[in-house]
Amino acid sequence: MKKKTSMTKLFMPYLVLFAVVMIVFFLYNMKSAIVHELNYNEFMNNLTKEQVNELEVTPRSRDSVYYLKGKLEGYKNNETFELIVPYTDSVIETVLAETTKQGLNVDINKDSSSISWISIVMEIIPLALIGIVTFYLMRAMLSQGKGGTLDFGRSRAKLNQDGGKVTFKDVAGLNEEKEEVKELIDFLRNPKKFQKLGARIPKGVLLVGPPGTGKTLLAKAVAGEAKVPFYYISGSDFVELFVGVGASRVRDMFKQAKQTAPCLIFIDEIDAVGRQRGTGLGGGHDEREQTLNQLLTEMDGFGANEGIIIIAATNRPDVLDPALLRPGRFDRQVTVNLPDVREREAILNVHAKGKVISEEVKLKHLAERTPGYSGADLENLLNEAALLAVRRNKESITMNEMDEASDRVLMGPAKVSRKVTPFEKKVVAYHESGHAVLGIELPNGEEVHKITIIPRGMAGGYTQMLPKEERTMISTKDELLQRITCYLGGRVSEELFLGEISTGASDDFKRATHIARSMVTEYGMSDLGPVQLEHRSGEVFLGRDYTNSSKNYSDAVALEIDKEIRKIVDECYKRAKDILSKNKKLVDILANTLEEKETLTKEEIEEIVKDYKSGNKTKKNVKEETEE
């Protein structure tokens, strides 16, 4: 089948080109030729006056006529005359007698009523060419299962017969998630074991989690472990311009799946077709709603789909229709979270295969420095490091490439060519030093791993601070307050040491205000008490919340909320000012070193802090001895 398709694609352009050339050639000839229609009297007058230069006679007994064709005196090359005379001996004898008298050569053709093979071929070839071109064009448009132009109703799901080559060995981390889906593998391998005890395996499993956490990879691994046919499709492949096409594709997909059951169907980004019905300003979307209705019916309707398990993935479970999530359809939801430090190390080990990494690189340390990274981010980090090593003509990937790749993934490439004035450099240096000193001095502050004043992306510099202990579940009030204090350190440092403030703290204020507002309205961490005044809205508008949150308070309470937010921010600002005022020398040392080196690593920062604190202790001891 593939050979036929390739031959068709090979010869089709030539056939179309040949047909177009032939049509243009015939049309040009027809347009350029000038034919004069004469009657018998006009022809005889010209003939007797010896004005006829050429003459061709073609008898046609079937029509009882003679066709006369030729040229008159003064005609151009593209001019001819034609006339039809009765098929009688007297007429043609008169013409021939006059031409013989003048010595004019006359071409007498055979009777055109007798059909020749040449005339048949010449008449059939154009029709045959048109027919062949039309046939191949229609065949290409109506090709079965090949995405033809008019092939709307067929499923776009792609089939992998052996389930693919991905197994659980290729999926690092996700131990709990693997346990959740192992039942599906056991059922697909040995369904009788479950049917014997009357157990009903879930018909659908919904994988929920942030982008890049490995939802699609986990679904591929399930199919690879089960060794069953595996259909995969995106939710957007169901939705088309024409109403009813999506529903037809759903029916066709399940029809194909029944023929290969037991099997798996994986629908990626199911929120594209499974959103809540009847939402948005303009009501529902007919095509999407019909597609969703058909999907609901196929999953748990009147017809039974035995041996078909659906795995779907989304990072927007809040927009899905409740009917899609009820038991009998997507019975089980598996949350695929961002990996912790152990899982990140395992993911790095998987993606490090095939890469030449220097012995100095410790993937465990790299995993500790990348909290909040998804599996896709970690894979991208290693790939960026490998590209940098190639660009620098190195034989292996060193820690320098890892650090640079981490910064590129987090903030973007360094703007080394950007011109920075000495004043801007000084402002950024003191700004970042303020963040760093607060991280060092606050008891529950985050560890400062890196400070740089090299511009990246939209930032003039940044301070990389990581938690001392990685926690993903809860944060205490004190930790949130210290986080706000750290965010305000940049502005406080500018005010204290430069006597001037800049626009560089705008993003810091945004983050600090967001935390403070959440403390007041969501977490109950203010004088307003343990009351949730705002919550995320469940109303979906075009895939997003129409408003960021729902307000459950009056205007008077809104004023109190603003006061509490202001109170939290002011207290944190004052605390940051006190700490930086007591550590002015440390801020100066860090800022001056940054202006000189532009980047400070964790080890360099720790050395500076150690020297600073030992110097303070020495001065304190000298002061005490003097007082005595």
Side-chain angles (χ1 to χ4, degrees), residues 543-584:
R544 295 286 181 183
D545 295 342
Y546 183 67
T547 55
N548 188 37
S549 59
S550 295
K551 298 180 179 180
N552 296 324
Y553 49 82
S554 63
D555 291 340
V557 176
L559 179 61
E560 295 297 323
I561 291 173
D562 292 340
K563 289 180 179 180
E564 288 296 323
I565 295 173
R566 170 63 63 184
K567 179 181 176 182
I568 290 173
V569 174
D570 287 345
E571 289 177 354
C572 292
Y573 194 89
K574 183 177 181 300
R575 187 180 183 185
K577 202 168 187 178
D578 293 339
I579 293 173
L580 293 183
S581 297
K582 293 178 182 178
N583 295 276
K584 282 188 175 181

Side-chain angles (χ1 to χ4, degrees), residues 177 279 415 536 618:
E177 290 80 358
T279 56
K415 305 290 185 179
R536 300 299 171 186
T618 304

Side-chain angles (χ1 to χ4, degrees), residues 153-173:
R154 293 189 62 83
S155 171
R156 296 293 187 265
K158 299 178 181 178
L159 172 63
N160 195 325
Q161 286 287 357
D162 57 356
K165 299 179 180 179
V166 180
T167 62
F168 282 160
K169 293 181 181 179
D170 303 308
V171 183

